[in-house]
Every structure is written in structure tokens, then in C-alpha cells.
Amino acid sequence: MANFRELIATPFKVHLKMHYPMTLTILDSLLFLILVAVMSLVKGGLYYFVLSYVLSTLPGFVIQFVFLEKKFDFKPFITFYKAKWLLKEAYPLAGFVLLAIVYQQFDIVLLTYYKGEYSAGIYSVAARLTMPLNIIPNVVVTTVFPFLVKNLYDRIKTDAINSLVFKVLFLISFLIAVIFSFRSENIVTLLFGIKFRSAALPSAMIFWSLVFMFFNYFTLDLLTAHSKQIINLVYSLLLVVSNTILNVLLIPHYSYAGVGFAKVIAGFLGFMFLFWALNKNQFTLSFINLRFFIWALSVAALVYVLSMLPLLIYLLVSFILILYSLKLFNYFENEEWDLIFRLINRERWSSYLRK
């Protein structure tokens, strides 16, 4: 039901009306919260919890069809027109999704097998800490994907938006990784308690893997828009194979830290493969230059020095100085600042950051 619902949300994505399905998702969560809240009153158990999860999604599922008909005059019907073409185009994506699930879950299986439930529990804390960040590239890609499809053959427009998206995704993932890494134990202890302090290192490693995975996430959708989804399948196979081999080699010696290192290395290998694929298909990646690397190294050095401050001051001052560094190093071009603030309806703000 969730997969089918994601499919029928496509018209909303194309017309940039995602507030309709997102509102229904909030409704699902609210209904689920209410059902769980009364769980103790009705003495519900595991079956009650699972049924509540399923039933809470039904109203939003039905209402989404109503919105489709009202907004787009769309009525669902079954047809086998171009079914052969659809299967041919979709099988690489189906394989990609299955392998992506293996990549996300199999490391915990291996960690439990080699080191037991305690190590798996420590790593699960690290995974849960980083998991919410996966919504960031999803939101960004959902926003720009309709633009990419509509301007598929206008490479000037698409290269400009591609460069901006890559810069934004790298900025977010890099800053979170570098700020977290220098005070990882303090942050993990603050959030989960002293007994989970060991999760600091694998958490930092997963954060650094997201620097590559954010880039990969958008690249995969970009290639799909240009009917290159077979590359997605090869990428996911490379990711799973490399991550599995690295886990088998590293877990016996480094436990949950080994899983974190495997994530970083596998993510980097996937990044290198997709970087090669983009260049082969003549996509412009001009934002990766000497100034880009100087900015990244300068920010890392600055944050390291600031890490000696008390935690809250460290977080606040790091955030402010990093924002200033964007202007100092001209991280975004003037046109990119204009576009960013136009998207959030704050055009006037761009004048403060333009060179």
C-alpha cells in the first residue's frame, strides 16, 4: 500500500503540489498516535500495534484518490498498454531498490552474527541517529525533479540547477559530519546517555558516509531522468558487494566501528563510480575545483579549533562562522543565491550574501 501510494503521488510531484500528500501523511501519523495512545486502555498487544499502523494509513490512502480526481481529473484504471516497455524500463530500478534494502540492513545481520546483540545495539544507536537525515536529499530531489524532467534537453538550465543541488547537498552533509565528528562523544552522551558513548565513532563514520551518499542520491535520480537507470543497478550492486566484503573483513577486528568504516569506504566507491558515469554522459561538475577544496579544508580546521569551546557555544559559533565562510569564499555564485532565496520567497536576503 505504501509503494502504491508513493506511485499515485507522482502527479502531485510533477505539479509541485506535494503539500497534499504530505498533509495526508501527517494525518496518518496523527491517527497512529491516537491509536497508540489508547493502547494501554484497551490492553492491546503486538497485533493491536501492527493493525493500528496499517489502519491509520487507510483514510489518507482513500483521500489521496479524491485529491487526484479533484485536482487533476484523474481516475485510476487498469491497462496493459506499453506493459512490455514499462517492465523493460523498470527492472533496473526494481533491482536497485532490492539491493538498496540489502545495503541498509545486511551490515546489522553480519554484526550480530560476528559480535552479538550488544554490538548490534550500539551500532543501531548510530544508525538511528543518522537515519532522519536521509529525508534531506529526498526533499531536495522531490523539489527539483519536475524541473529536470520538463527541461530535459536544455542542458544550460539543467546544468545550473544540478550544480546548485550538488552544492547544497554537500554543504549540509559536510557541515553536519564535521561539526559532529569533533564532539561526537559529547553529543551522543547528551542524546542517549553515557552507556551509549561507544556509538560515537560509528555515528561519525556514518555521518561521513552521508557526504558521499547525498551526492549519490541526487545523481541516481538525475540519471533516471535521462533514462540511464541501468547505471543505478550497477551502482547498487557495487555498493552491496563492496560493503559486504568490507564488513566481513573489518567486523571481526573492529566490531561496530568496522561497520562504520565499511559504510564510508563503500559510499566513496559508489561516489567514484557515479562521478565517472556523470563525466561519461557529459554532465558538468565544474563546482568541484581548487576553491571548493580550500573552503572545505578551512572549515574543517576552523571547526576543530572551535571544538575546544563548551558544546552549545561550539555549535552556535561554528554555525555562524560557517555561514560567513560561504560569502568569504564565494561558495555560491550570485545567481545561485538569487535562486535559493527565490525558492523560499526571501529574494531580498540574497543582497546580503552576493559578492
Side-chain angles (χ1 to χ4, degrees):
M1 187 165 59
N3 290 330
F4 189 70
R5 187 164 169 175
E6 178 67 20
L7 177 64
I8 62 176
T10 303
F12 298 99
K13 294 180 182 180
V14 172
H15 293 86
L16 298 180
K17 295 185 180 295
M18 280 301 293
H19 52 284
Y20 289 106
M22 292 306 297
T23 301
L24 295 177
T25 300
I26 295 173
L27 174 63
D28 296 345
S29 301
L30 182 61
L31 291 175
F32 185 46
L33 176 63
I34 294 172
L35 290 171
V36 171
V38 301
M39 185 173 175
S40 60
L41 299 177
V42 298
K43 298 181 180 179
L46 178 62
Y47 288 113
Y48 173 89
F49 184 84
V50 173
L51 286 174
S52 297
Y53 182 75
V54 175
L55 295 176
S56 63
T57 64
L58 285 177
F61 184 76
V62 174
I63 296 172
Q64 191 155 315
F65 279 102
V66 176
F67 282 157
L68 276 174
E69 184 174 357
K70 295 291 184 182
K71 300 299 177 182
F72 309 112
D73 194 27
F74 175 84
K75 295 181 179 179
F77 61 93
I78 297 175
T79 178
F80 294 99
Y81 175 65
K82 287 191 173 181
K84 183 179 179 181
W85 170 86
L86 181 61
L87 291 173
K88 179 183 176 182
E89 294 295 314
Y91 87 84
L93 295 177
F96 164 75
V97 171
L98 290 174
L99 289 171
I101 294 172
V102 173
Y103 169 74
Q104 292 170 357
Q105 302 294 333
F106 194 52
D107 47 9
I108 295 182
V109 175
L110 289 174
L111 183 59
T112 305
Y113 174 76
Y114 282 110
K115 292 294 182 178
E117 294 182 356
Y118 173 80
S119 295
I122 293 294
Y123 179 75
S124 295
V125 169
R128 187 165 296 276
L129 182 62
T130 57
M131 190 182 301
L133 296 180
N134 290 321
I135 196 175
I136 295 174
N138 187 31
V139 169
V140 174
V141 170
T142 299
T143 302
V144 302
F145 194 75
F147 176 87
L148 294 176
V149 174
K150 290 180 180 179
N151 299 277
L152 198 59
Y153 301 104
D154 189 341
R155 294 301 289 267
I156 296 178
K157 284 185 178 180
T158 54
D159 283 348
I161 194 68
N162 292 345
S163 177
L164 176 60
V165 172
F166 281 130
K167 283 184 176 181
V168 169
L169 291 178
F170 177 81
L171 174 64
I172 296 171
S173 58
F174 175 75
L175 295 186
I176 293 174
V178 75
I179 289 174
F180 178 86
S181 296
F182 292 124
R183 297 296 294 272
S184 57
E185 284 196 7
N186 299 97
I187 296 174
V188 169
T189 302
L190 179 66
L191 295 175
F192 297 102
I194 190 69
K195 61 182 179 180
F196 289 107
R197 186 176 60 181
S198 301
L201 180 58
S203 297
M205 291 299 99
I206 297 176
F207 274 123
W208 281 108
S209 74
L210 292 181
V211 175
F212 304 115
M213 298 306 293
F214 275 26
F215 176 92
N216 299 350
Y217 192 102
F218 176 64
T219 301
L220 294 172
D221 277 72
L222 181 61
L223 292 170
T224 301
H226 289 266
S227 300
K228 303 290 184 180
Q229 53 265 39
I230 189 64
I231 297 177
N232 297 17
L233 180 60
V234 177
Y235 159 81
S236 60
L237 185 61
L238 170 65
L239 207 63
V240 169
V241 172
S242 61
N243 189 56
T244 302
I245 293 174
L246 288 166
N247 275 314
V248 171
L249 294 175
L250 295 175
I251 288 176
H253 301 287
Y254 302 103
S255 189
Y256 41 78
V259 182
F261 284 114
K263 285 282 189 186
V264 175
I265 299 171
F268 176 73
L269 292 175
F271 162 78
M272 293 300 297
F273 172 74
L274 291 179
F275 187 87
W276 168 82
L278 288 174
N279 279 284
K280 184 181 179 182
N281 289 279
Q282 300 179 337
F283 287 96
T284 302
L285 294 172
S286 58
F287 71 95
I288 302 179
N289 50 36
L290 180 61
R291 185 179 63 189
F292 175 84
F293 285 109
I294 293 175
W295 171 83
L297 292 173
S298 300
V299 167
L302 175 65
V303 173
Y304 172 73
V305 173
L306 293 174
S307 65
M308 301 175 188
L309 297 171
L311 181 59
L312 293 179
I313 298 176
Y314 160 70
L315 295 175
L316 180 61
V317 175
S318 296
F319 180 75
I320 294 173
L321 291 181
I322 288 169
L323 286 181
Y324 177 75
S325 75
L326 298 180
K327 181 177 181 180
L328 182 65
F329 285 87
N330 198 23
Y331 183 85
F332 292 113
E333 303 293 339
N334 290 337
E335 296 77 11
E336 292 172 336
W337 282 121
D338 292 338
L339 179 57
I340 290 172
F341 289 111
R342 195 182 310 130
L343 290 172
I344 61 175
N345 296 319
R346 292 293 185 272
E347 291 90 342
R348 295 180 181 179
W349 292 5
S350 64
S351 61
Y352 300 108
L353 295 168
R354 290 171 63 96
K355 278 275 186 180

